[in-house]
Amino acid sequence: MILGEGKSLDQLKVILSAMVRRKRNILVTRLDQEKATTICNQFPDGEYDNDARTFCLVQQKIEVTGHGKVLVICAGTSDLPVAKEAAITARMLGNEVEELVDVGVAGIHRLLARQELLQEAAVVIVVAGMEGALPSVVGGLVAKPVIAVPTSVGYGAAFSGVAALLGMLNSCASGVTVVNIDNGFGAAFAANRINRKV
Amino acid sequence: MILGEGKSLDQLKVILSAMVRRKRNILVTRLDQEKATTICNQFPDGEYDNDARTFCLVQQKIEVTGHGKVLVICAGTSDLPVAKEAAITARMLGNEVEELVDVGVAGIHRLLARQELLQEAAVVIVVAGMEGALPSVVGGLVAKPVIAVPTSVGYGAAFSGVAALLGMLNSCASGVTVVNIDNGFGAAFAANRINRKV
Amino acid sequence: MILGEGKSLDQLKVILSAMVRRKRNILVTRLDQEKATTICNQFPDGEYDNDARTFCLVQQKIEVTGHGKVLVICAGTSDLPVAKEAAITARMLGNEVEELVDVGVAGIHRLLARQELLQEAAVVIVVAGMEGALPSVVGGLVAKPVIAVPTSVGYGAAFSGVAALLGMLNSCASGVTVVNIDNGFGAAFAANRINRKV
Amino acid sequence: MILGEGKSLDQLKVILSAMVRRKRNILVTRLDQEKATTICNQFPDGEYDNDARTFCLVQQKIEVTGHGKVLVICAGTSDLPVAKEAAITARMLGNEVEELVDVGVAGIHRLLARQELLQEAAVVIVVAGMEGALPSVVGGLVAKPVIAVPTSVGYGAAFSGVAALLGMLNSCASGVTVVNIDNGFGAAFAANRINRKV
Amino acid sequence: MILGEGKSLDQLKVILSAMVRRKRNILVTRLDQEKATTICNQFPDGEYDNDARTFCLVQQKIEVTGHGKVLVICAGTSDLPVAKEAAITARMLGNEVEELVDVGVAGIHRLLARQELLQEAAVVIVVAGMEGALPSVVGGLVAKPVIAVPTSVGYGAAFSGVAALLGMLNSCASGVTVVNIDNGFGAAFAANRINRKV
Amino acid sequence: MILGEGKSLDQLKVILSAMVRRKRNILVTRLDQEKATTICNQFPDGEYDNDARTFCLVQQKIEVTGHGKVLVICAGTSDLPVAKEAAITARMLGNEVEELVDVGVAGIHRLLARQELLQEAAVVIVVAGMEGALPSVVGGLVAKPVIAVPTSVGYGAAFSGVAALLGMLNSCASGVTVVNIDNGFGAAFAANRINRKV
Amino acid sequence: MILGEGKSLDQLKVILSAMVRRKRNILVTRLDQEKATTICNQFPDGEYDNDARTFCLVQQKIEVTGHGKVLVICAGTSDLPVAKEAAITARMLGNEVEELVDVGVAGIHRLLARQELLQEAAVVIVVAGMEGALPSVVGGLVAKPVIAVPTSVGYGAAFSGVAALLGMLNSCASGVTVVNIDNGFGAAFAANRINRKV
Amino acid sequence: MILGEGKSLDQLKVILSAMVRRKRNILVTRLDQEKATTICNQFPDGEYDNDARTFCLVQQKIEVTGHGKVLVICAGTSDLPVAKEAAITARMLGNEVEELVDVGVAGIHRLLARQELLQEAAVVIVVAGMEGALPSVVGGLVAKPVIAVPTSVGYGAAFSGVAALLGMLNSCASGVTVVNIDNGFGAAFAANRINRKV
């Protein structure tokens, strides 16, 4: 698990080489495309996801050790990168993951039409930008843990995700918890803490 | 139409007396209870609403000049004072008004159960605090003008209505417009501008 | 109606092709020039507006279904892109639109000289950056619905449109409603909700 | 589960009476002392906690349905009211709860001395004001779900809990989730979602 | 010239007594009514203004040493206290002062009707709360120095005068300068610096 | 007087050509170097200042119509661009201008050594970034009008000039007025309003 | 060392009694007058400072263990409470303390007249509200450690000390460090860390 | 000591040449790589540090005049640039410096394992981004002066270092002082003020 952002190519190569030698599974998040090209050349067994900006290198089969399914729900197509980062992270950590896309609250029936998916999940990650209202609706529909991820999608008074963040912190659905803006990784990590078999 | 807040009792009495003489209908908003007691004693034909903090004195029958119904929707019971200010103002301005209370997004089915009410309205005022998500859902359900009113209901990161205000400004439902925090009066005034028969 | 921002060229092409097949009229907003060049090549019947950053492809004659005229007023020449986005959107939605440009409050007589235009409008959209004062003056001159659009024009303490947004939310003209910063599209959509013939 | 704040005594009495009739267990949060006196007189079987500002009325034995222990950790004595609200809520929801008080990061050894307690917990709620650093340390010590609750404890640049909130959202310990400032209730509700036996 | 706010009665008495002995003219600003009562009893030759919250004690005839007239304009009646503080201060500093009240931009014709007053002034102080738009209009009408004073009048997104302050700092009328929120004293002091005969 | 920022090259050329025909003196502010190159080629009689980012084209001799000297003081060398914009603007408006550079408050003796310069000025413009303290010191040393210009110089908690802006608005020297961040033009315009011979 | 704020009288009594038994010297900060009356009655050997809101109970002679003098400088009389908290704390911690009051930057000569005092100090604590400019001047005059304490003195755009805090963080005098708003205690504690004999 | 940021290459060359002639030791901070290349070519005896973005030119042997060791601690590898700026500055100013890297609070045992290093230091500089919690832990472990440096490391609600800054200002460890975001230079300068032999 490596945060790509703020690390130089040289730093990344050193860390990756060490992990490759130790046969560890590797996930680099927030890796921009330019660095990714170099990394993919040097570590050709790995895979870069353009949307999620993640690089995965699986050296040991990932066993599903999570208790139930992690469901990643996403309000709009612009929120997809963060949702994918969450989904990929959760899978790398050993969880079964389902994804549900483009079910924003302005078209509430699209969400309501997929309720069985919601009810099956052990943990729900809800990714939304703009007004960040989706976790409140989801939190009212399911009794399971709901982790809300605000995204920086929007403009003007969205303030790079602050509007969504505040919306989620003030959710009228009790027991919704929140992670940092665009922090799909953190949401998946939290979901994994919850979903772990003991 | 008088904003009570920031005016002294003496200022209010002078203005009210003048309006009484001119046989005008009077609406005072944001009038605190202490001042209201004095005002009600001096102008016993008027009526004070404890929740809305409005004082109304009807000297000429209010004719309904609005085109259609104004529907005032309110997310939680704590948002009621603002919703009532909006409803009373809209009525004083000559509109037929309906009210729909306690239909927050965490219990989305309560709202969906009342869709016929939504479809009948000519203008919809949606009052909500906390994450201010309700206008997005309503804006997706109706094609009519939707005016969103954020309230200062909430605590902590609600920042006295800022979270709701930002949520509404970033609504993913196109064409929702917004007024100032707790400004039920302004929302009704805007609804009246829309609903006026020409 | 497609928000161009945050969508990749590939995503846009897929959506556009589908809409072309279904003979739908198409409006893409916030489309940057680089993407626009490619889109215009692939869909040569469409038209890109450099200022408004909109791409329009009219496949079926747009019928004017709006009740009255939508007037788009704009404080300074730097606010033009947002005003044009509003005007183009309103036209695409089936409204007759008039435009009034460069009538900022520091030269109040330019606005006052055009009062007949204001009085003719059914809905007024007022676009302004910097201190965002124009909607207050307009709201005092007309009894019709006024939708205020703050723009990110300005520098320093304009805070990318926040000063104008706050100014408009606190307008001393009753019943002015507000949309997000630079949201010409949303203002036009709201105007259309108001102006629709039933 | 009733949020006392923003509700009048009359509203509270109506709601409580209805719940008493239905033999429901009752928890009122954020109930100030003045209202509490009246409520306690009318519902003498209930119990008011001065610190937590909660009123509990148990009409049916609370069965422990939670999977494991919920541990509530609290940085300083000033954070106790929020921690107690969390603990009481978690118990009312059917969870076994442990409390660990006054283990702020400026005296890190006090926390380290109680590691066995941390390791036993199924879910950890960490309550802290000021710089809100405790969840980061705890999140590094345990693999279990960690829910961080910022409190409004502090002054000046604490900005009524904003400093703690931001600290927690930016925790360098992966997978810490956050609730609103002073929202002990919400943290407990989230812990209960996690800790529920299926 | 004494800022009353933040000074104890004892501190004020000591300072005032010393100034009385030295036969100085005295102006105390931001003096609350409670302290004012005591001060007026002890210094019965002074005069307290309830609106402006100023205490003036003139021991030597104030000579008019200012070059021209200082005009204090005020948008709404709620802005009067700040306007009066400015007017009283300017007079105490030796300036001829005119006042123009209740000429907010939502009723622009009231201001335009008084243009001769504007043109006669040597310096104009413009006091406004809410969106703070008045200085932009005034700055466009006169060529003289314009000092804008934002007031804390308003609610919600007025943020205790921040909206008005930002509006004024971003005035589209060139050469408007601004002082702190509610700082009528400072505006008058600046006007006096400008208006002084050399 | 043209604000270059936010105007396209085409817009600028049109405006400039019109002004050239009318033999008007021209000042373009906030003109970036790229556009300046084109403008200078087309209008070779004009002059571009790299620091101030201004373009001046003098077609009629500028008569000094100002009453006294405008002194522009500048705290650090990084503030020079804004100071120069102020100085050039004031000169174009017909004022005699003096400049005093690099007299920040951390080396207070450099400022104190130049007091005669301060005392000679009719109006003082004080340009400072970072903590923006210089106007307070200057305001205490001179009795003349002091216009403070915060600059965006600084980093981190300077918040692009907000720290300096707030410092200046809260100046403990009475009667200092403030313009927008980096608004050298506005300060000069205000100085000109003050310094005009009647 | 006890922070009085946020502790109940009962909590305070318990802690104080324990410390009295252990013959420890006691300093309670931020103790409001109401609680202080009770505390003083119960612990009559202690002393309450009305300005600083501190309660001191000296049970063992305080030995001066600090290396040099701690100088506490204070810009205005309204900043005195915080300055006194700093001075009293520093003395209780075993430092020799000097105080210099009312030397704000708008009257710079008052400070310059006391330079010998500045040069004698081993550590300087500078307390200032409003624009918080004093530490920059002092930091330029002395080579010793300078600790800046912003105070909440001011109004409007002072934002309860934020303006002063930002000013101090952006001081153009290198090596000035800052503590929280109104945190005289923390400044003294830091000064003591510096001034300690090893 | 020259702040490179905001200075042009020409300005830098002039200043550097002058200092070279006077045989002064030179430190340029915040010098970007592009300018550095030119500077290094012209002043080949100097050395540029890529991480710290500092240029050092030692013309006279640096004597260690500091009293004890300055220890620079750094939470994560992304904070290294700021830590290095601090370390290099402190050395240039004549201090012995130790560095301790990657000891963030989420892995508290790495810090606790190096306690002897902490105890040996005369002054401790603690550099941390994200939640900025490290100074609180360090401040609890050592009695020496602790200077906290927030960094802009992080994303979303880190707000470019504001979260870390607020965390440090509200540290529950008494006597921690703070400098501006990313201000490694300032922290070293403050450490030098403290560590100077008299």
Side-chain angles (χ1 to χ4, degrees), chain B residues 81-114:
Chain B
V82 178
K84 280 200 167 173
E85 186 190 275
I88 289 169
T89 302
R91 281 196 193 99
M92 287 294 285
L93 289 166
N95 298 281
E96 192 180 344
V97 178
E98 294 260 7
E99 296 173 63
L100 179 54
V101 173
D102 202 13
V103 290
V105 298
I108 197 72
H109 293 293
R110 288 201 301 272
L111 177 69
L112 297 175
R114 302 303 300 277

Side-chain angles (χ1 to χ4, degrees), chain C residues 104-109 112 115 129-133 136-141 154-159 162-163 166-174, chain E residues 104-109 112 115 129-133 136-141 154-159 162-163 166-174:
Chain C
V105 297
I108 197 72
H109 292 294
L112 297 176
Q115 286 221 51
M130 302 180 81
E131 80 272 62
S136 296
V137 177
V138 172
L141 294 172
Y155 59 88
F159 295 129
V162 170
L166 296 186
M168 291 170 177
L169 285 168
N170 289 289
S171 175
C172 55
S174 300
Chain E
V105 298
I108 197 73
H109 292 293
L112 296 175
Q115 286 222 50
M130 302 181 82
E131 80 272 62
S136 296
V137 177
V138 171
L141 294 173
Y155 58 88
F159 296 131
V162 170
L166 295 185
M168 291 170 178
L169 286 168
N170 289 289
S171 175
C172 55
S174 299

Side-chain angles (χ1 to χ4, degrees), chain B:
Chain B
M1 301 286 147
I2 304 160
L3 179 68
E5 201 171 57
K7 294 209 176 56
S8 68
L9 255 179
D10 286 349
Q11 289 178 305
L12 285 170
K13 283 179 190 172
V14 169
I15 305 174
L16 286 174
S17 299
M19 293 178 84
V20 163
R21 273 191 303 275
R22 281 179 284 156
K23 290 286 177 209
R24 298 267 295 271
N25 286 336
I26 297 171
L27 169 65
V28 186
T29 59
R30 298 182 164 247
L31 184 70
D32 63 47
Q33 264 182 323
E34 207 187 302
K35 284 181 194 162
T37 308
T38 311
I39 295 293
C40 285
N41 283 341
Q42 183 154 355
F43 304 93
D45 294 345
E47 200 174 341
Y48 181 69
D49 187 297
N50 263 292
D51 286 331
R53 298 194 304 145
T54 53
F55 174 83
C56 293
L57 177 47
V58 178
Q59 304 193 96
Q60 306 188 16
K61 192 176 170 298
I62 301 167
E63 231 177 310
V64 172
T65 53
H67 189 74
K69 272 187 208 162
V70 174
L71 174 63
V72 180
I73 306 182
C74 160
T77 52
S78 305
D79 301 315
L80 256 178
V82 178
K84 280 200 167 173
E85 186 190 275
I88 289 169
T89 302
R91 281 196 193 99
M92 287 294 285
L93 289 166
N95 298 281
E96 192 180 344
V97 178
E98 294 260 7
E99 296 173 63
L100 179 54
V101 173
D102 202 13
V103 290
V105 298
I108 197 72
H109 293 293
R110 288 201 301 272
L111 177 69
L112 297 175
R114 302 303 300 277
Q115 286 222 50
E116 83 296 344
L117 209 60
L118 273 80
Q119 301 307 337
E120 280 171 31
V123 190
V124 187
I125 293 172
V126 187
V127 180
M130 302 181 82
E131 79 273 61
L134 190 54
S136 297
V137 177
V138 171
L141 294 173
V142 304
K144 300 294 166 47
V146 175
I147 300 165
V149 191
T151 72
S152 52
V153 167
Y155 58 88
F159 296 130
S160 307
V162 170
L165 172 62
L166 295 185
M168 291 170 177
L169 286 168
N170 289 289
S171 175
C172 56
S174 300
V176 168
T177 61
V178 186
V179 296
N180 195 2
I181 298 163
D182 289 336
N183 191 6
F185 170 80
F189 208 99
N192 183 58
R193 282 176 183 256
I194 294 169
N195 196 37
R196 232 175 237 207
K197 276 185 200 154
V198 195

